[in-house]
Amino acid sequence: MQDFLTDRLLFSATHEEILRGDTSDFYFPRTMKVLEQVGKDNTLVIAEIFPCKDGVLCGVEEVLKLLSGRSLEIWGLKEGELFYKKEVVMRISGQYSAFGVYETAILGILASSSGWATAARESVLAAGGSPVVSFGARHVHPAVAPVLDRSAVLGGASGGSCVLGARIMGMEPRGTMPHAYILIMGDTLFAAQKYHEILPENAPRIVLVDTFKDEAEESLRVADALGTALLGVRLDTPGERGRVTPELVKEVRSRLDQAGHNHVKIFASGGLTPERISLLKEAGADSFGVGGYISGASPIDMTMDLKVVDGKPIAKRGRIPGITDNPRLIKLS
Amino acid sequence: MQDFLTDRLLFSATHEEILRGDTSDFYFPRTMKVLEQVGKDNTLVIAEIFPCKDGVLCGVEEVLKLLSGRSLEIWGLKEGELFYKKEVVMRISGQYSAFGVYETAILGILASSSGWATAARESVLAAGGSPVVSFGARHVHPAVAPVLDRSAVLGGASGGSCVLGARIMGMEPRGTMPHAYILIMGDTLFAAQKYHEILPENAPRIVLVDTFKDEAEESLRVADALGTALLGVRLDTPGERGRVTPELVKEVRSRLDQAGHNHVKIFASGGLTPERISLLKEAGADSFGVGGYISGASPIDMTMDLKVVDGKPIAKRGRIPGITDNPRLIKLS
Amino acid sequence: MQDFLTDRLLFSATHEEILRGDTSDFYFPRTMKVLEQVGKDNTLVIAEIFPCKDGVLCGVEEVLKLLSGRSLEIWGLKEGELFYKKEVVMRISGQYSAFGVYETAILGILASSSGWATAARESVLAAGGSPVVSFGARHVHPAVAPVLDRSAVLGGASGGSCVLGARIMGMEPRGTMPHAYILIMGDTLFAAQKYHEILPENAPRIVLVDTFKDEAEESLRVADALGTALLGVRLDTPGERGRVTPELVKEVRSRLDQAGHNHVKIFASGGLTPERISLLKEAGADSFGVGGYISGASPIDMTMDLKVVDGKPIAKRGRIPGITDNPRLIKLS
Amino acid sequence: MQDFLTDRLLFSATHEEILRGDTSDFYFPRTMKVLEQVGKDNTLVIAEIFPCKDGVLCGVEEVLKLLSGRSLEIWGLKEGELFYKKEVVMRISGQYSAFGVYETAILGILASSSGWATAARESVLAAGGSPVVSFGARHVHPAVAPVLDRSAVLGGASGGSCVLGARIMGMEPRGTMPHAYILIMGDTLFAAQKYHEILPENAPRIVLVDTFKDEAEESLRVADALGTALLGVRLDTPGERGRVTPELVKEVRSRLDQAGHNHVKIFASGGLTPERISLLKEAGADSFGVGGYISGASPIDMTMDLKVVDGKPIAKRGRIPGITDNPRLIKLS
Amino acid sequence: MQDFLTDRLLFSATHEEILRGDTSDFYFPRTMKVLEQVGKDNTLVIAEIFPCKDGVLCGVEEVLKLLSGRSLEIWGLKEGELFYKKEVVMRISGQYSAFGVYETAILGILASSSGWATAARESVLAAGGSPVVSFGARHVHPAVAPVLDRSAVLGGASGGSCVLGARIMGMEPRGTMPHAYILIMGDTLFAAQKYHEILPENAPRIVLVDTFKDEAEESLRVADALGTALLGVRLDTPGERGRVTPELVKEVRSRLDQAGHNHVKIFASGGLTPERISLLKEAGADSFGVGGYISGASPIDMTMDLKVVDGKPIAKRGRIPGITDNPRLIKLS
Amino acid sequence: MQDFLTDRLLFSATHEEILRGDTSDFYFPRTMKVLEQVGKDNTLVIAEIFPCKDGVLCGVEEVLKLLSGRSLEIWGLKEGELFYKKEVVMRISGQYSAFGVYETAILGILASSSGWATAARESVLAAGGSPVVSFGARHVHPAVAPVLDRSAVLGGASGGSCVLGARIMGMEPRGTMPHAYILIMGDTLFAAQKYHEILPENAPRIVLVDTFKDEAEESLRVADALGTALLGVRLDTPGERGRVTPELVKEVRSRLDQAGHNHVKIFASGGLTPERISLLKEAGADSFGVGGYISGASPIDMTMDLKVVDGKPIAKRGRIPGITDNPRLIKLS
């Protein structure tokens, strides 16, 4: 055991471990053995999964990958569809032994992915058509950072900051520059100029303007220096300076316009919530980086119930036996 | 790209991808290139990490694994220590190129692990000495299920249900039996008897008693049948039947005692929060399975600030330049 | 006095005592004597009665019985009509000596009866057409239990549980069976079978199903045994088991239907309020037994004011002298 | 049936009807017949009664009258004792046939009497030693007006206004004069003078002073005229004039004192609640007439459970089988 | 200095002191000297004034008087116009030396006058067409009492009680009689009769009726005595007697009408707020005296910003450089 | 009338107008004439003044000036003393004609001055020993600006910004520099340097640092340039930039200290309330400029009641006749 831990790179599960069922709740492998002994492990069952509240379904494809190659019939909503509280979102038919041990993993994938997608959707609706980028990677374990960004995109985000997340979606990752870069360079203007000189031509020039000086002052310095090459300024004002407010966005917009920099976009980030996004959008912000609101969304609790066993409707107390009619389900595999 | 996706087992990041920096925010690799071009990538810096609220620090060991083999001096609090809002919990000194690209991963590990550990601690405090088991694996992506259980244990939980989580901690996993098992067996008493017959002698017999019949009735049936072999009954009453209430615990306790089954423990689960744990504990419950309260805890937002660059105190607006004195930090590597 | 108390059967007032004026406030008989001495006891007056809030008028017939045979002209709203806050609901003209001593009794009858009728009406409105039965007799003194049930029926209830209440209304009393019956019989199914065997053919078979076993399980046992003879099951789940919830009603409905017992009605009771009635109705409950919400309704405070004395408008401070116009009043006697 | 109703004096139950069991819930007589048929009507049982919240127990003596002459052993708290939520307040042992049909009446007597007594106690505590008189008769049906006043006295009130209530307690009834008296007399001073002339010497002179003029002005007129014969003035200011306020009490007290009438007491009434009683007491009021707060108190719901049948502990779901230990109970019959 | 204070009549500023700039914030005269030394005192600037919330603009004419004779171009909204939060209400162009020292006085006049006018407007809207009279003079320093009444009239009031306030507006002052007058006369009726005898014929007879007796009683005494000469009664019931309530207004109206005094108006005062005005109006009150609600209104904070200096747009951080377009402004001087 | 208005410099009352009684409520001069006609104008009376809530008494000296030379005996609390709700704060004895017409002015002086003094005291208590300066002149009419600052000083403020206010108190006025000064100079550093060069040596150098650049950056620029000559920096951050926050104060303090400018004080202003003052004080602010909280305080309503007329106790309804004992009063004239 000691060696297992010493040699282990990280504590997150590898793909192989997940597929082996190592991340399941302990009682599944154990009771599976009992079922085998009594000859019931291959009992034909139908299981249904339903959520505890409304949301955006996410994780379906990963569940299908997990169960691929097994003799199961799976019906469900499609990746990215809206679901309602207590609506059946997936139905799995087959031998219990073919998927029972994955109950924990299936529910975990759907619950966490749907939680993130749903929060992203709220942000996107608040932005009313303006782009929202997922900046949540820094709040979750790196093992799931790409899952988070993928979920956000399914919820409507334009992209995410995680390099691997973008790769699995076949998209370009999004991002500007960290405060660390400017602090090392020692001056925002110098940092912006070098960034502009060195970056490939097609990379968007969006400069972070709240590091050393007042945002309005710094925006003008950078815009004057880079001219039309500057795509936008990023306002990420810290809480200690009152965060990005609608008034700040309005003023930076006005001062940029008065100096002839109408083409420069304003990209806002820092503790954004749907409510704040709406206000900043109305004040003139052009796009938004949303981190904690998406990554801090609680998983949407998913429940898997056996509803048919050996062809007979059944259910535990509190649930209604037999399959629940849902015409929105399609055959997934 | 298409092949990359088709062949990929799952969307979560592998250990190798994480160590390669693939889960970082996109701007880190990009600005690293700019810094190289201007010859500043190896600038000596000191970075500090602080949380946005009080909690239990978790993830330190994984961060050390991530940064092992790099020429860095790292000071910090120890795994599992309490921290205060805005207290510096980790300080990293060295060349920026040696860790800059891991900012996203470091913060993500600490934020999510500490969030889970802190919620577990609240549950454990509410249980006032009785065991609390993490049942949260089913709400998170399987890639991080072992990380979740490990964090819960660092927050004070007695164990967790995830098989792999237990393995990385060198503990036995915890769990009883799923509703699915009883539904397939068709009767709780029959299920309990087979479970008892087949399980190894040292495995604890805790039987789920809310599937088919009223909990009090079923508890007596099972206790009468298994006698002193029965360690406990698990109450997991669904919301549709009012969840586990203090009155239910009291009644089951009384009825078991009246029938001479004073040795049978009561294990409660299902939507538990610290407040409900306290009430159930007072009513006589002996141990608790906590899922959503731990897994649904938002990450505790962590911020990394450069505070010294090339030996000189520096900071972005809103932060105080130079290192922040914290005598609680010890040298970690 | 001692003999009076020793021999007295109960503390409630007999009909004769009420008609003799023995239940009046003490100051009425006393001041009547003073008025006699000054020759003003037969002064012609007009008195008006008004309520402190909106409601259903009840008690009018009993007031008319109380005042029958006296030379008075009485105008009022009819039994069961809605009234508005501060609307005059009754006007009495005649010699003060003919009714003064009954002020306490008149107001008491109207206030308490109208309070109960109004609460019943709220329950009936919440039930939206489904029958509501008054189960309040057990919360009030038996002397007024029939008055309570009569008031509830005037407020819209379909009937009441009190035997005498039903008799004074010329209706059949309503009720199923007490928990005591099932506890003595020792098993719900056995109790139901005997009940079915012994009861006259036309008596409705409604069986209480929450005594020993889970309601869903017991409902099926009873329905399977009695078949089409079973009119309904009564859910009266105690607070310790979460009371009757919409989910419970839905599940029992579904399980009965799946077993082919679509004809079995669901009768809900136990701490019902208008809000809960609405929810249970929507979930499929067919009728309702309402106790504490009706019996616990506070009396609707009624005030009697002299408005004309010897033909001249008069009033105490705060009231407007003279009769108050109300075209809704009709001549009652 | 029509004749029964036509001849009936009132709708309240007579003592004989109550003793015959006519006010019971319909299901008791009906299921008693079934029990007889199966030979279980004389089953030996133990029943326990418990309340839904804390209060003052009232109605015990009336219950004992109801059950007198039956072969039952009854234990309970004494009339007027405080009880706690869910505490057993009465335990009845014997053949079920000997008391089953009275369950409705027993619970109704205890619930309504205890509700009134408890509200009276709250008023008395608020008055901190000053007398409180029950004025609630006018809000309840006259059949229970004496029961109300008796309950109030058991809760600590000094007396009540109902003539019959006082008689059953062997006390003098309390009261001053109605507004009607003064309105008929046409002037408060004239009314007070005649009242003083005509009343027996030992009757207390308390004059109502808010009918025609400002209370302070009228108090002085009356006090000047009656001198030391005046025991007190009663302030019953209507809601339209702001009710009796602490400032009014203070001013009337001061103006009476300045005119040398220090001996005149102030008796306050009109919509009093414990909170208002405390404020008026502090402002100088000497005694209080409380109506709606006592009469409008909801009954304290009482539950009767069979806990032993044929010598064996039993209970319905949600309750604990067997008798509940309560050392405070004494043998009542 | 001592002499200056000893001889000084009062502490309020005289008109000459205000015009000399003596009431300005100290830093204006001081920095003006610095600007002179660096030759910038005559810099051409444009200043804009905006309010912190919506309201009625008041004080414009006094500002124009203050700045008259100076070479400035002033644009603004007109006296009495509604303005919106952050709308520019005045724009001043010219040499800074010509108005800089008056910034304090200009803002103070506009802020306090607009605060009062806005509160008056709310009262007037609540009165829905009935006259509202400003009674606020007694809550503010006498130096500004006329300014208060003038502001109230600009906000919609029909007049004010301050003699000087009326004179500066060319109106008749409003008022009835003080409680002191009636207390000295010893009786309201006697006071009313003498008032009627002695007052010039055209002065309105409105008599205060709450001093000694109940308002309804006193209203009838006065109306009976003065007959058609009586214009109205004033209800100013003190807080200790519950203030003027809708019920009191209704009753006085009814009693006056029943006695044939339909022509007598009801004038209400005493702690009136817009909410209470609406209720009293609906109950029949004909006009209102409003004091504390108007005089206690906080000033509406006004900010003056330099937006152009030497022809170039400029602004401090948080404001947008250059003049703010507002087509509602007109040239005032 | 037209001429009177045209020639009038401002609308505020002059000292002479106030002393002539022109600012009184109209009914005082009018009823004085009636009293003269009936020969009661010289009636000897005692009047008492009491406030509607707790506070700091202010305005006494101005009232004494107003009544000086009249034959009156005046008792009262001293200028600046604390008073309690409904406590008598002043008692005036003499002929009614000698002061009746000043009731409006006396109450207005006391009410508004005490309102301001009380709000200042709350600010001073929140500052816990650090200086508070009144900056409220810009929110009130210039006629009362000196009265405001004098009241603030009586409430505990260290001084005020109004030039005339300081003069009447024999103090130096307080203030730094306006934003307009810096905007005209075009750069904060240049403005600070000229200010330093030109100002007399004993004038304190406090520089406003939020006009053009971030406060922390500007503070360092100014402190580096002026060195030990700089007494302090003033933070007056506008609402659009989040106002002055505790974090900003801490950071500016730290950055100044790190640069060796420990001697530079921090003076905070802008929308300060007692709550914010406490937080900023704790964060390191050294002194505070408070405007709107003091100037926006509502007057503390004062009531004057006649309590004795011609030697006899009297009072209107709601008040207690005769003088109210208050041993705290001293003879003032």
Side-chain angles (χ1 to χ4, degrees), chain A residues 146-179:
Chain A
V147 182
L148 167 77
D149 273 7
R150 184 179 174 275
S151 301
V153 167
L154 279 159
S158 307
S161 62
C162 175
V163 174
L164 180 58
R167 198 180 303 152
I168 64 172
M169 294 185 281
M171 300 172 79
E172 285 299 309
R174 303 296 184 87
T176 57
M177 58 183 65
H179 287 103

Side-chain angles (χ1 to χ4, degrees), chain C residues 14-291:
Chain C
T14 64
H15 293 181
E16 295 71 24
E17 287 169 333
I18 296 170
L19 291 170
R20 255 204 320 268
D22 288 0
T23 64
S24 74
D25 283 324
F26 172 55
Y27 52 34
F28 287 110
R30 184 154 72 181
T31 60
M32 197 58 76
K33 284 179 199 152
V34 180
L35 287 174
E36 281 168 28
Q37 295 262 356
V38 297
K40 282 180 175 280
D41 52 325
N42 293 329
T43 306
L44 286 169
V45 301
I46 302 179
E48 289 183 342
I49 297 173
F50 66 87
C52 69
K53 58 174 189 176
D54 295 357
V56 175
L57 187 62
C58 193
V60 175
E61 290 183 25
E62 216 171 4
V63 168
L64 293 179
K65 281 172 178 283
L66 190 68
L67 298 179
S68 70
R70 289 162 185 277
S71 182
L72 294 167
E73 184 172 324
I74 304 178
W75 289 66
L77 298 182
K78 277 180 291 186
E79 192 83 317
E81 277 194 271
L82 293 181
F83 56 74
Y84 307 103
K85 183 179 171 180
K86 299 227 167 174
E87 181 181 19
V88 172
V89 296
M90 189 173 283
R91 185 186 295 133
I92 305 174
S93 311
Q95 292 183 341
Y96 183 64
S97 58
F99 70 95
V101 84
Y102 293 115
E103 178 176 325
T104 313
I106 294 168
L107 297 180
I109 288 168
L110 295 176
S112 59
S113 305
S114 297
W116 290 324
T118 302
R121 183 166 189 266
E122 294 171 33
S123 304
V124 167
L125 289 176
S130 296
V132 166
V133 178
S134 169
F135 272 14
R138 61 184 41 227
H139 302 124
V140 299
H141 194 281
V144 292
V147 183
L148 166 77
D149 273 6
R150 183 179 174 275
S151 301
V153 168
L154 279 159
S158 307
S161 62
C162 176
V163 174
L164 180 57
R167 197 181 305 152
I168 64 173
M169 294 186 281
M171 301 172 79
E172 285 300 308
R174 303 295 183 88
T176 59
M177 58 183 65
H179 286 103
Y181 169 67
I182 294 174
L183 288 165
I184 289 169
M185 297 297 276
D187 177 70
T188 299
L189 185 54
F190 174 60
Q193 285 167 326
K194 286 294 166 193
Y195 188 81
H196 176 41
E197 274 173 44
I198 296 167
L199 242 60
E201 206 169 325
N202 64 340
R205 270 70 178 161
I206 299 176
V207 177
L208 188 57
V209 294
D210 57 274
T211 310
F212 286 118
K213 291 173 172 291
D214 186 73
E215 299 84 346
E217 184 186 5
E218 199 78 282
S219 295
L220 289 175
R221 286 176 80 216
V222 171
D224 288 346
L226 268 63
T228 55
L230 183 68
L231 177 60
V233 290
R234 175 167 160 226
L235 303 177
D236 186 57
T237 312
E240 290 86 348
R241 281 292 192 283
R243 291 211 176 280
V244 180
T245 60
E247 289 85 0
L248 178 60
V249 170
K250 275 187 206 162
E251 183 187 340
V252 170
R253 180 74 274 151
S254 295
R255 292 191 185 247
L256 285 169
D257 290 352
Q258 290 179 347
H261 304 303
N262 310 56
H263 68 285
V264 177
K265 304 288 187 198
I266 294 176
F267 179 54
S269 61
L272 296 187
T273 57
E275 192 176 33
R276 289 187 58 220
I277 292 170
S278 292
L279 295 172
L280 298 181
K281 157 89 177 176
E282 194 179 354
D286 298 291
S287 57
F288 305 91
V290 181

Side-chain angles (χ1 to χ4, degrees), chain F residues 26-79:
Chain F
F26 171 54
Y27 51 37
F28 286 109
R30 182 152 74 179
T31 61
M32 198 57 77
K33 283 179 200 153
V34 180
L35 287 174
E36 281 167 28
Q37 294 263 356
V38 296
K40 282 179 175 280
D41 53 323
N42 293 329
T43 305
L44 286 169
V45 301
I46 303 179
E48 289 183 343
I49 296 172
F50 66 86
C52 68
K53 59 174 187 175
D54 295 356
V56 175
L57 187 63
C58 193
V60 175
E61 290 183 26
E62 216 170 4
V63 169
L64 294 178
K65 280 173 180 282
L66 190 68
L67 298 179
S68 69
R70 288 161 186 278
S71 182
L72 294 167
E73 183 171 323
I74 304 178
W75 289 67
L77 298 182
K78 279 181 291 186
E79 191 84 318

